Structures are given as structure tokens and as C-alpha cells.
Amino acid sequence: MAQGHHGAPGPGSILNHWRDPRRRTSVQPKDYYGGNTTSSAPAASAAPALGTAPAPAPVATKTRPPTNTPPTNSFSLTPAPPAQHRVPATGNQKDIDIDDERKLRALYDMRISQEVDGSALGEEFAGYLFRISGGNDKQGFPMKQGVLTNTRVRLLLSKGLSCYRQRKRGERKRKSVRGCIVGADLAVLNLVVTKKGDAEIEGLTDSQVPRRLGPKRASKIRKLFDLSKEDDVRKYVVCRKFEKNGKEVSKSPKIQRLVTPIMVQRKRARKAAKTTAVAKAQAELAEYKQLMAKRIAEQKEARRSAISKRRSSRKASKKAEE
């Protein structure tokens, strides 16, 4: 492929001759960092003739940063509780800026959901184990799981896929997303703590953010307080107390899926009503069949009597003629 100044595609590249099938005019593609591959000067009206040297490509409006300057990446670390714990997570998040290129090389060419040893990012993270959960590039485009590339691509997304929210029923949209492989063009990388080390991380693992609201579902309340089915869930619901107009007021959520005696009674009533309706329908069907059999028998008897009368009248007329 022909190259222009600063790595931009030249006039003989495939990108400059790409046409959008939905339009009748050519579309100038954008370069990797969001700028147009050509400047604001008008393009040539016709391609150069064969045998002539192509005109020099114009300078791109945005260029790739020099490779000798290490990028500044911000890593967002989010702790996650081990699977065997029953208590909620600490709920802390912290942004850590890492400027050392040697530390960042340990993350390059890794994918989302892979685990990283914390000692590669610094001595303060020794013993920690981080899991890559996502990130954004320098233009703000999010990383998408399953896109096995370290560049930006345009995908046709629909409802149920990440990096897209449907506005209309059945709508699909082509959007730019970043691949799931870590590279030097990322600005933020999200990491989740899967294993805690010996030392505490200030602002991340040394404190815990209390939860303002507790669970509402009865099964989740039992799981939080390790209750059995015989325990009364209503005594363990999390209440919130505050002052209003000089009085102390307490609020508690309505417990969902709570089995109470009145609910059992209503369930029995619904079952009994259903059973009664089925029995009534069967009885009415039997009565209807009996009535239909009686009516059919009456019709047959009436038909027999009519036929016998007709025959007797014919015999009487024959005797009268003789």
C-alpha cells in the first residue's frame, strides 16, 4: 500500500478509493486517531493518467504520536471478593497513573479476562492478581470482548450486544469499537482484584464503603445473614433511619417473595377454585352429553313413527283402489 506523509495512506491506497455502497459519492475514511487522512484541500477531480507520477499526498490533519515517547495510561483498579466470601465487596475504586513503559509492557498483547501478576506493575502490588475487565482508547472508544485485534473496527451491533443501546425496536447500528487486545493506544485499562496481596493498597483495600440499602428478596436476605427456612426473615431486613421534621423515621423495604400464612391461604384458595371449576366443567359436559343422547333418541323415534304412518297410509290407499 502506498504511504503518504506521517504514515497516512497515499493516493494509490485502497482506503482512498473505497466507496460506501449506500451512497453515490466517495467517502474519505478517517485515520486511526479520528482525523481525516487528507487535509481540507479539495481532492483532485480525476485520477492521474497511466505512466505519470502520482501527485504527492497531502499532510494528514492528525498524526500518530512518536513511538519514543511513552504514553500515559490510567489504570482503574476495582477489588472483587473471593468466591467463598459471603460478605459484599469493599466497593472501592481507585485510578492509578503508570508512566513507566517497562511496567506497561507486561500488559501488552493480553486480552480481556486474562489475569496479570501485580508484581509486574510495581512492588506495591506484589502478591496481587488482577483480571483485565475492559478499557478505553485515547479517543474514548470502549474495548469489546471477542474482537481479537488491537485496533479499532466498525461492527454492526444490535440489541443484546455490548457497546450498544437500542433506541428503537429492531434497530441495528454500525459503531466503532476497540478490540479486546491491550495495546499502547489505550488511555484507561480496567483491572479487577481477584487475589489480595500482603500489603494494603491505600484507598482501595484498606477501607470499605458501607452499603446504603440492603437486599429486598427473601432468599437474598437469608443468604446474607446465613438464615434457615425456619428463621423469620422480617426480623433481619435492613432498616434505614433518618430524621424528618425533628422526628426519627425508619424505612425498610418491602420483602419480595416472602411466604406468609395469608399467601399460603390464597394459594390454597386458587387451587381449590381451579379444582372446583374443572369438576363443574366435567359435570356440565356429562349433562350435555346425556341431553344430546336423549334428543337424538327422540329424533330417531319421531322419524320411525313418521315412516310407519307413511307406510300404513300407502297400504290403505292400495286397498281402497282394489
Side-chain angles (χ1 to χ4, degrees):
M1 182 185 299
Q3 298 289 329
H5 297 290
H6 299 277
S13 65
I14 300 176
L15 290 178
N16 281 349
H17 292 86
W18 175 77
R19 296 178 64 86
D20 192 345
R22 297 169 296 179
R23 301 181 182 179
R24 294 185 178 275
T25 58
S26 299
V27 178
Q28 281 291 347
K30 294 185 178 181
D31 71 347
Y32 192 77
Y33 290 89
N36 293 332
T37 54
T38 57
S39 62
S40 59
S45 58
L50 295 176
T52 60
V59 179
T61 54
K62 292 186 179 181
T63 59
R64 196 185 190 94
T67 56
N68 55 0
T69 305
T72 302
N73 296 285
S74 175
F75 291 86
S76 177
L77 306 180
T78 306
Q84 64 270 19
H85 284 192
R86 292 178 177 265
V87 296
T90 60
N92 288 326
Q93 295 183 2
K94 186 177 182 181
D95 295 336
I96 301 176
D97 296 334
I98 300 179
D99 299 332
D100 192 355
E101 179 69 18
R102 291 174 296 180
K103 297 180 180 179
L104 299 178
R105 287 175 185 171
L107 298 171
Y108 292 164
D109 297 333
M110 299 193 72
R111 302 179 184 176
I112 294 179
S113 300
Q114 286 188 343
E115 293 184 345
V116 184
D117 189 6
S119 59
L121 302 178
E123 298 179 356
E124 63 273 17
F125 305 117
Y128 281 85
L129 197 63
F130 301 116
R131 176 174 55 85
I132 301 175
S133 61
N136 298 333
D137 62 3
K138 294 181 180 180
Q139 284 73 38
F141 292 93
M143 299 175 67
K144 182 174 175 59
Q145 177 69 291
V147 183
L148 302 180
T149 180
N150 59 354
T151 59
R152 194 187 307 163
V153 296
R154 287 177 60 84
L155 301 178
L156 187 63
L157 304 179
S158 59
K159 181 181 178 181
L161 299 177
S162 59
C163 305
Y164 174 70
R165 180 171 63 88
Q166 178 179 290
R167 266 71 171 184
K168 295 181 181 179
R169 183 186 179 97
E171 181 188 32
R172 296 188 303 169
K173 193 172 183 181
R174 192 172 297 276
K175 296 181 69 68
S176 296
V177 293
R178 173 59 166 74
C180 66
I181 301 177
V182 180
D185 61 320
L186 294 181
V188 178
L189 189 66
N190 301 327
L191 304 178
V192 178
V193 177
T194 57
K195 180 183 177 182
K196 186 179 177 182
D198 300 333
E200 297 285 348
I201 301 177
E202 183 180 358
L204 189 64
T205 59
D206 57 351
S207 62
Q208 184 173 355
V209 178
R211 293 182 60 179
R212 178 175 169 268
L213 302 177
K216 293 181 64 176
R217 190 181 300 178
S219 60
K220 292 189 177 181
I221 296 175
R222 292 192 184 97
K223 182 179 179 181
L224 178 62
F225 294 100
D226 199 10
L227 304 178
S228 62
K229 291 187 177 181
E230 290 76 16
D231 296 330
D232 190 2
V233 181
R234 291 171 289 186
K235 297 180 180 179
Y236 294 89
V237 66
V238 179
C239 298
R240 184 167 58 92
K241 296 181 179 181
F242 58 94
E243 290 187 0
K244 184 177 181 180
N245 298 331
K247 296 181 181 179
E248 186 176 357
V249 184
S250 63
K251 278 190 175 182
S252 59
K254 180 181 177 181
I255 303 177
Q256 305 294 325
R257 303 184 186 180
L258 178 63
V259 180
T260 57
I262 188 65
M263 290 185 64
V264 176
Q265 180 181 351
R266 290 171 181 168
K267 186 176 180 180
R268 280 200 307 265
R270 288 194 301 269
K271 188 176 180 181
K274 188 175 181 180
T275 306
T276 306
V278 172
K280 182 182 178 183
Q282 291 178 353
E284 290 178 351
L285 180 61
E287 183 180 357
Y288 173 75
K289 287 183 178 180
Q290 186 178 1
L291 181 61
M292 286 296 296
K294 182 180 178 181
R295 294 288 173 81
I296 291 173
E298 290 176 354
Q299 289 178 1
K300 289 182 179 180
E301 184 65 26
R303 186 179 179 186
R304 280 196 220 102
S305 63
I307 293 173
S308 63
K309 286 180 181 179
R310 198 179 303 122
R311 287 176 180 174
S312 61
S313 64
R314 288 177 182 175
K315 290 180 180 178
S317 62
K318 285 182 180 180
K319 287 180 179 180
E321 289 177 357
E322 291 176 354

